[in-house]
Amino acid sequence: MTSIYRWNQGIEQSSEHRVVIKTTLSRLPGLSEFLERDHPYEVPQIIVLPVEAVSEGYERWVIESLRPESN
């Protein structure tokens, strides 16, 4: 997508990719810390959308997907 935004007293335009990351609220602080530390942007866009409802199967899949793998 093309983003147009104000930065350093000017108008910028750049090509960007939107990324959706699925996680749990308990893992959000670690994810945010990682993105802020390792993202190439000085101020990465991190938006958290509230979940009003989710199917049981999907919620179970997300939680199971985030468990550390045991060897």
Side-chain angles (χ1 to χ4, degrees):
M1 67 184 185
T2 300
S3 291
I4 301 170
Y5 52 94
R6 291 185 185 274
W7 188 253
N8 294 328
Q9 289 81 44
I11 302 294
E12 299 286 332
Q13 179 175 330
S14 60
S15 294
E16 297 182 320
H17 298 278
R18 181 178 306 228
V19 176
V20 175
I21 300 174
K22 302 168 185 178
T23 193
T24 59
L25 192 56
S26 65
R27 289 182 170 248
L28 182 58
L31 174 60
S32 293
E33 181 181 309
F34 167 77
L35 292 172
E36 289 170 2
R37 181 187 65 235
D38 291 352
H39 195 282
Y41 287 3
E42 188 175 331
V43 181
Q45 180 186 39
I46 300 171
I47 297 175
V48 178
L49 301 175
V51 176
E52 293 185 26
V54 62
S55 68
E56 285 182 33
Y58 182 78
E59 182 179 28
R60 187 172 44 253
W61 171 80
V62 169
I63 291 168
E64 289 173 1
S65 296
L66 295 172
R67 284 196 183 122
E69 290 187 35
S70 57
N71 293 327

